[in-house]
Amino acid sequence: MVLLLSPNRDKRFVMDCTLETIQLKEKLLKTIYSLQLKSFGTLQTASPLLSSQPGMGMVTQHHVQQLAGKAKSLCGDLDNIKNLLHYCQDNLVRRIPNPTGSRYGGFRGIHCSPDGSIYVTAESAPWVHVLSSTGHTLRSLPCRQTGKGGGTFLPEDVTVTRMGMVAVADMVNEAIWVFNPHTSLSKGEWIKVRKVGSPSGIGVDSMGKILVADYAQGQVHSFGLDHTFQTLKVHSVPDLQGPRYVGAAPNGGFVVSEECGDVKVFMSTRKLLCSLSSKYGHQFGNPAGVCVDRDGSILVADEQRRTVHLFPEHGAPVCLVSTGLRRPAGMACSSFGHLFVADTGENCVKVFKYRVSSPQGAAMVLKVFFPACCSSADSGILVGRWISAQSSAVVLAVLHFPFIPVQVKQYLGELQRLTKVSVTVLGSWSNSKQEKEQGLSEFLEDLGTIFSHEPWIQISKEGDSKFWSCSTLQKPPNSPKEEEIILVYYDQRKVMLSHLHPPLDTADGRAEDTSKLSAIFDTVARSRALFMTDKYDEGPIKLTHWQSEGVEASIIVELLKQGSVPACMLLAFLLSLLSGICRSRVLNFWPLSFLWSKLSTCEQLGHRLQHLQVISSHRKAQTQTQLMRKANIFVSLLIDVALGILLMSWLYRKNRIGHLADALIPVADHVAEELQDLLQWLMGAPAGLKMNRALDQVLGRFFLYHIHLWISYIHLMSPFIEMILWYVGLSACLGLTVALCILSDIIALLTFHIYCFYVYGARLYCLKIYGLSSLWRLFRGKKWNVLRQRVDSCSYDLDQLFIGTLLFTILLFLLPTTALYYLVFTLLRLLVVVVQGLIHLLVDLIDSLPLYSLLLRLCRSYRLAAGVKFRVLEQQDGKPLRLLMQINPLSYGAVVQTYRLPTYSCYPKDSWASLCKKLFLGELIYPWKHKGEKQD
């Protein structure tokens, strides 16, 4: 009883305090303990007697056989008890819904990678979704064939090769596809590696070969892939009855499920080892997904009986899931004791916890991030940072022998003061290729007493072998007896220079993963002072880490920085003086302030003036965002000015400005003549419509008079147009955007008569529309309350109703004539607005496009990190799992969305519904007049 209530036991066992349960636990422990004592006592007695006596005494063959049978049965019972204690049933943790919803069918294929990510496919869905263990979408791979006429294909099942590439089975196209992310295409491409009759399931065996279950032909194919995606050593296992799902077997072979049949296990020589129904005496309904956990147990999902059973190496089958499944299909398990079942019937992935943690607690997973540049370094001690919250050790350098511990501690203290990183000695590094002394390992273990750190990590490389060993010699208190160690290689230079971006969607799971990664990236980035030391420095401390080799280039950059400080200060002073002049009272008078606010050229000059003030500031950028903003503005200005100078050089060659000025007057005359013809057509019977003759003539002559004034104005300005264009061409040296804005303003000036026509027609049409709406309220006994901004009831007398009827009749019959003129001039105005809109769209594109970030993404993609991916380098029993950490760059769309520069906009931000409403009511859509409160 004292043993059961020990304070060192798990909290869940302490809370289990029912009398019946305590008695059962005590009885089980006493039974196992008595068996252990009795068997040990019999062994101590029988062993010397059997070795000294010539015979066996009174023991007969019957006694031996009887004891052997009972011992076998007892061992089986003990295995069953152990399995029933080790596993749990129907422990549903979470449901992961389909990212595409109910648009396609339910989940079918599933695969779990060593880092916990799951790959899923759905019925009739041309997608492969990569999800986290919590269900957040990490990536979606569209299943599209490349090339002309390439359509989509529908994956049945999915797996991941040893090289980290996604492979799917396509039953419709009778093919096996492998996704190659390392192509010229930014998003990768699918490559057809082999044609198979009707592939229904796919997997990868322990040797890295791809396994394919061919449903129609009743075969399982296995083949390898080379670096050019060509198949190697194709083998087939025939005589199967409708194979559905296939997976790796614990003995190096594979396990396959047959439709409405059995589950068979094959050896690595492709010979049948056993069938689960005959070995365990289990009857299947319709076996579906199969997988193998880290203990070598086989897990099978039964689609007909809606259960999941575990078949251990020793003992009877264990039912892990007995209820809660509607139509189980694919299945996968993780190394953390979670079971992922694709439930096609409910269109979700159900996550079950099928392992019970031991009373001492789950094994701790220790992650050691080791720089790849130190893999061939001489023996020494590991210097880095220990992140206790994540049980992670970030190795920054290897410090070599000989050294004095006091000097090492002083150096680490100085480094910690400079970098603000808690740098310490994490453990020892042994490279047996260089050091072969017998006492080296003992000496490295003794260093743990000098540099006290828990846990003390010891990494060693076994000669010329590719295998590494990693262990901990000192453990913190309350640590488990067993621990898993994951050795992660990382590129120190790339991690130091990269900037990890938070996810655009603020999902909790992804934000948590990003915060864990940011601690690793932040540790390496803040240790820049360590990496900038000269490799030829003959100091007392010898280190191996990534070192910058551009010392001379760094000196030149520093000299340029120092020389640019006075220039930036002078430019900042001139810009502040210019800004003060622009904000002075001289420019606040009505004509100048009106032109400054309405001309797009003035707006663009003010926008570029703000950009110049940002990049000429002598203040250092505090964050990565500020630094990227400055760089993007500088590159945008540089390219803008370069394009403007190219345009200016093109205009001043071969007297193109003179030719443009000579062609401008005839074009303006031709536009005026076309408008006159249009007005003459409107003053007649346009399209056979009967207009109000008097109003038609008045409006037509009014607009014809304006056209006459406009032609006179153009001919008056004709002698000066070439000189104006010559000076305007010089403005291109300020940038292409300034030249484009000047072009937009020139178009606005040349089409000013069209704008006047549009304003006249819109005002007249708007007056009639609001007059008709007000008179319509009069007929209904309503009126608009200006103070309360609402429609109220009102009583009118007979005279008011009579006058209202007359006015309503007049306005209603004059409305078609006014509406026709308004429609024609609105279409002309919209044409001008579209042309100016395209020009301003190009200006906004040049102003806002983060060109430096895009160039950085193209040339140095690791600088803009969206996350990381891990590639398995070594996975062997008894050895630490070795992974290679690679940086996932931001997509181009995410780069633009993150670093897009803010721009000004002289156009109103109207939706399509608001725009159509303004056009119908006759409100001005551009650029100066905006409707305020509703008036009666």
Side-chain angles (χ1 to χ4, degrees):
M1 185 68 68
V2 177
L3 176 64
L4 291 175
L5 297 181
S6 174
N8 292 329
R9 296 188 59 83
D10 192 84
K11 293 182 179 180
R12 290 173 298 174
F13 292 88
V14 174
M15 295 299 294
D16 189 7
C17 56
T18 62
L19 180 61
E20 182 180 2
T21 306
I22 292 176
Q23 291 176 351
L24 286 175
K25 289 182 179 179
E26 186 178 13
K27 186 176 182 180
L28 178 61
L29 289 175
K30 285 183 178 179
T31 303
I32 297 175
Y33 184 65
S34 62
L35 286 174
Q36 180 184 4
L37 291 179
K38 183 62 68 175
S39 60
F40 182 75
T42 305
L43 178 65
Q44 294 291 333
T45 303
S47 180
L49 292 175
L50 291 175
S51 61
S52 61
Q53 290 185 4
M56 295 183 62
M58 297 181 64
V59 178
T60 63
Q61 184 178 1
H62 174 71
H63 292 147
V64 175
Q65 293 179 351
Q66 187 179 12
L67 180 61
K70 291 181 178 180
K72 183 177 181 181
S73 177
L74 184 59
C75 290
D77 293 338
L78 291 176
D79 288 332
N80 294 335
I81 291 294
K82 182 192 69 174
N83 293 333
L84 293 176
L85 289 173
H86 187 61
Y87 301 107
C88 55
Q89 187 182 62
D90 297 332
N91 189 1
L92 180 63
V93 177
R94 69 178 64 89
R95 297 168 180 259
I96 300 177
N98 195 331
T100 58
S102 58
R103 180 180 178 184
Y104 302 102
F107 282 122
R108 189 186 186 280
I110 188 170
H111 174 82
C112 183
S113 60
D115 61 352
S117 302
I118 56 176
Y119 299 74
V120 293
T121 61
E123 293 179 338
S124 304
W127 292 90
V128 174
H129 296 286
V130 186
L131 311 176
S132 66
S133 58
T134 57
H136 301 286
T137 303
L138 303 178
R139 190 181 181 187
S140 295
L141 303 176
C143 298
R144 296 190 182 94
Q145 306 178 28
T146 57
K148 294 183 178 179
T152 60
F153 58 90
L154 308 177
E156 295 286 331
D157 196 8
V158 62
T159 189
V160 177
T161 65
R162 179 172 289 185
M163 299 303 295
M165 296 185 180
V166 182
V168 297
D170 180 11
M171 184 179 289
V172 177
N173 296 316
E174 302 178 352
I176 302 298
W177 300 86
V178 174
F179 184 77
N180 181 19
H182 310 294
T183 61
S184 57
L185 302 176
S186 59
K187 297 183 179 180
E189 64 174 343
W190 290 94
I191 300 175
K192 182 188 292 187
V193 297
R194 184 167 178 81
K195 190 174 181 62
V196 182
S198 54
S200 60
I202 191 171
V204 176
D205 64 6
S206 59
M207 302 301 294
K209 294 184 178 180
I210 296 178
L211 303 169
V212 180
D214 194 337
Y215 178 81
Q217 298 181 6
Q219 296 180 349
V220 171
H221 310 283
S222 66
F223 55 87
L225 290 178
D226 59 6
H227 65 282
T228 60
F229 297 94
Q230 300 296 323
T231 57
L232 303 173
K233 299 180 180 179
V234 181
H235 300 285
S236 300
V237 176
D239 302 329
L240 297 173
Q241 303 299 322
R244 301 181 63 191
Y245 291 88
V246 64
N251 56 4
F254 62 89
V255 55
V256 58
S257 61
E258 298 176 323
E259 185 174 24
C260 300
D262 202 350
V263 177
K264 296 180 178 180
V265 183
F266 289 84
M267 297 185 294
S268 58
T269 58
R270 297 176 299 280
K271 293 182 179 181
L272 180 63
L273 178 63
C274 67
S275 65
L276 297 185
S277 60
S278 61
K279 179 180 179 181
Y280 295 91
H282 181 81
Q283 187 67 31
F284 292 101
N286 186 16
V290 293
C291 64
V292 178
D293 66 357
R294 63 182 182 182
D295 294 333
S297 302
I298 301 175
L299 291 83
V300 182
D302 198 324
E303 184 177 354
Q304 181 179 350
R305 299 186 177 181
R306 304 174 183 177
T307 58
V308 175
H309 280 80
L310 181 140
F311 298 87
E313 187 176 358
H314 302 288
V318 179
C319 182
L320 301 180
V321 182
S322 61
T323 182
L325 296 177
R326 182 177 297 180
R327 186 187 165 195
M331 188 173 56
C333 56
S334 69
S335 58
F336 306 103
H338 287 90
L339 177 65
F340 301 90
V341 183
D343 195 341
T344 308
E346 296 188 9
N347 195 17
C348 65
V349 173
K350 295 182 178 179
V351 185
F352 296 89
K353 182 179 181 181
Y354 72 101
R355 289 177 179 272
V356 177
S357 301
S358 60
Q360 289 81 12
M364 181 181 69
V365 179
L366 176 64
K367 299 175 285 294
V368 180
F369 292 85
F370 191 82
C373 57
C374 299
S375 58
S376 59
D378 296 339
S379 300
I381 57 177
L382 302 175
V383 177
R385 178 191 177 192
W386 170 255
I387 306 175
S388 59
Q390 304 178 20
S391 298
S392 302
V394 184
V395 179
L396 299 174
V398 175
L399 196 149
H400 303 297
F401 306 116
F403 57 81
I404 301 176
V406 176
Q407 293 180 344
V408 173
K409 293 182 178 180
Q410 292 177 354
Y411 175 77
L412 294 181
E414 182 68 18
L415 187 63
Q416 185 173 349
R417 186 185 64 82
L418 291 176
T419 61
K420 308 299 181 182
V421 178
S422 56
V423 182
T424 183
V425 177
L426 300 174
S428 61
W429 157 256
S430 174
N431 192 346
S432 57
K433 185 176 181 180
Q434 282 79 16
E435 302 289 343
K436 299 184 179 180
E437 291 82 356
Q438 293 287 338
L440 179 61
S441 59
E442 298 178 358
F443 172 70
L444 293 177
E445 292 180 8
D446 294 339
L447 288 176
T449 60
I450 300 176
F451 303 99
S452 57
H453 183 269
E454 296 180 352
W456 181 262
I457 303 170
Q458 186 173 13
I459 305 176
S460 61
K461 188 177 180 182
E462 302 174 1
D464 297 330
S465 175
K466 65 177 182 179
F467 301 116
W468 291 38
S469 63
C470 183
S471 59
T472 55
L473 301 181
Q474 299 177 14
K475 297 181 174 61
N478 300 326
S479 65
K481 294 183 179 180
E482 295 182 358
E483 60 185 3
E484 295 184 7
I485 300 178
I486 301 177
L487 193 59
V488 182
Y489 295 94
Y490 71 96
D491 192 319
Q492 209 163 46
R493 174 177 174 269
K494 291 183 178 181
V495 174
M496 182 193 70
L497 297 177
S498 65
H499 174 67
L500 185 63
H501 295 73
L504 297 178
D505 53 335
T506 57
D508 295 338
R510 294 195 63 186
E512 182 180 358
D513 297 339
T514 306
S515 63
K516 293 179 180 179
L517 284 174
S518 62
I520 310 299
F521 279 71
D522 184 64
T523 299
V524 181
R526 288 162 58 185
S527 305
R528 186 184 296 263
L530 173 66
F531 308 136
M532 293 303 171
T533 55
D534 191 357
K535 63 171 65 178
Y536 303 107
D537 188 9
E538 296 295 335
I541 305 298
K542 301 294 183 182
L543 297 169
T544 294
H545 50 71
W546 176 80
Q547 294 174 334
S548 175
E549 298 180 357
V551 179
E552 294 82 3
S554 301
I555 294 175
I556 295 175
V557 170
E558 288 298 326
L559 290 177
L560 290 176
K561 286 182 180 179
Q562 297 297 328
S564 63
V565 171
C568 289
M569 294 180 63
L570 178 61
L571 182 60
F573 172 75
L574 295 177
L575 291 175
S576 61
L577 183 63
L578 183 60
S579 300
I581 295 175
C582 294
R583 289 193 299 266
S584 63
R585 295 184 178 180
V586 179
L587 298 179
N588 290 333
F589 292 111
W590 176 77
L592 294 178
S593 62
F594 178 80
L595 291 177
W596 182 266
S597 61
K598 303 309 177 186
L599 293 180
S600 58
T601 303
C602 298
E603 294 285 345
Q604 178 63 20
L605 288 175
H607 189 64
R608 284 307 189 192
L609 182 62
Q610 295 177 359
H611 284 175
L612 287 173
Q613 290 177 341
V614 170
I615 63 176
S616 62
S617 175
H618 61 278
R619 296 180 181 178
K620 187 178 180 180
Q622 300 296 326
T623 61
Q624 174 74 11
T625 305
Q626 295 178 359
L627 179 63
M628 295 296 289
R629 182 171 182 264
K630 278 191 173 185
N632 287 321
I633 290 176
F634 178 75
V635 174
S636 176
L637 277 172
L638 194 64
I639 294 180
D640 187 18
V641 173
L643 293 176
I645 293 175
L646 289 177
L647 176 63
M648 185 177 64
S649 64
W650 180 82
L651 287 175
Y652 285 97
R653 288 180 182 177
K654 300 181 182 179
N655 196 22
R656 287 190 175 92
I657 292 183
H659 297 322
L660 183 62
D662 295 338
L664 195 59
I665 299 300
V667 170
D669 290 339
H670 180 70
V671 172
E673 291 176 1
E674 292 293 334
L675 286 175
Q676 286 178 344
D677 295 340
L678 179 62
L679 288 173
Q680 292 294 339
W681 178 70
L682 291 174
M683 292 171 65
L689 299 176
K690 184 173 178 61
M691 313 298 293
N692 186 283
R693 183 70 177 174
L695 181 60
D696 194 11
Q697 292 295 323
V698 170
L699 292 177
R701 292 174 182 175
F702 177 75
F703 291 131
L704 285 174
Y705 177 70
H706 276 73
I707 292 177
H708 175 71
L709 291 179
W710 178 252
I711 293 176
S712 301
Y713 167 72
I714 290 296
H715 285 281
L716 183 65
M717 294 292 296
S718 58
F720 309 100
I721 288 180
E722 184 175 357
M723 182 179 62
I724 293 174
L725 291 179
W726 195 88
Y727 284 108
V728 166
L730 290 177
S731 64
C733 65
L734 299 177
L736 179 62
T737 55
V738 176
L740 291 174
C741 290
I742 292 176
L743 176 62
S744 175
D745 292 336
I746 291 176
I747 292 176
L749 292 175
L750 291 178
T751 59
F752 184 72
H753 55 305
I754 297 179
Y755 176 74
C756 292
F757 294 163
Y758 163 69
V759 172
Y760 298 151
R763 286 306 183 197
L764 189 58
Y765 174 78
C766 182
L767 179 63
K768 291 185 177 181
I769 288 294
Y770 280 101
L772 288 173
S773 63
S774 179
L775 294 173
W776 177 250
R777 287 194 293 268
L778 182 141
F779 292 152
R780 296 182 296 139
K782 307 286 185 181
K783 75 170 184 178
W784 175 255
N785 192 331
V786 180
L787 297 179
R788 296 181 178 271
Q789 292 293 306
R790 69 183 186 186
V791 177
D792 294 334
S793 300
C794 182
S795 60
Y796 298 97
D797 56 18
L798 186 61
D799 293 338
Q800 291 174 330
L801 292 175
F802 178 72
I803 296 298
T805 304
L806 290 179
L807 292 177
F808 183 82
T809 305
I810 293 173
L811 292 178
L812 183 62
F813 283 103
L814 293 180
L815 182 62
T817 304
T818 307
L820 183 61
Y821 276 88
Y822 169 70
L823 177 63
V824 171
F825 292 127
T826 299
L827 293 177
L828 292 176
R829 178 59 189 163
L830 287 177
L831 179 61
V832 176
V833 168
V834 168
V835 174
Q836 289 184 291
L838 292 176
I839 294 176
H840 282 274
L841 185 63
L842 181 58
V843 172
D844 287 346
L845 183 64
I846 298 176
D847 284 342
S848 64
L849 200 63
L851 298 175
Y852 175 77
S853 300
L854 291 174
L855 290 174
L856 202 63
R857 170 62 178 83
L858 181 63
C859 302
R860 299 287 188 271
S861 59
Y862 59 85
R863 295 285 298 273
L864 305 175
V868 297
K869 59 182 177 181
F870 297 94
R871 184 164 64 90
V872 180
L873 297 179
E874 177 189 351
Q875 187 176 11
Q876 187 181 7
D877 295 338
K879 299 293 182 180
L881 176 64
R882 290 200 300 159
L883 303 176
L884 176 63
M885 187 177 75
Q886 298 174 335
I887 295 178
N888 274 335
L890 275 177
S891 63
Y892 287 98
V895 171
V896 175
Q897 186 176 355
T898 304
Y899 294 108
R900 184 177 183 271
L901 297 173
T903 61
Y904 78 96
S905 181
C906 60
Y907 287 92
K909 302 292 184 180
D910 290 327
S911 62
W912 285 105
S914 176
L915 181 62
C916 294
K917 180 182 177 182
K918 287 184 177 182
L919 290 175
F920 178 75
L921 296 179
E923 300 178 11
L924 295 182
I925 58 172
Y926 173 80
W928 301 318
K929 208 63 175 171
H930 296 278
K931 181 175 173 59
E933 295 181 351
K934 186 176 180 182
Q935 301 292 333
D936 192 2

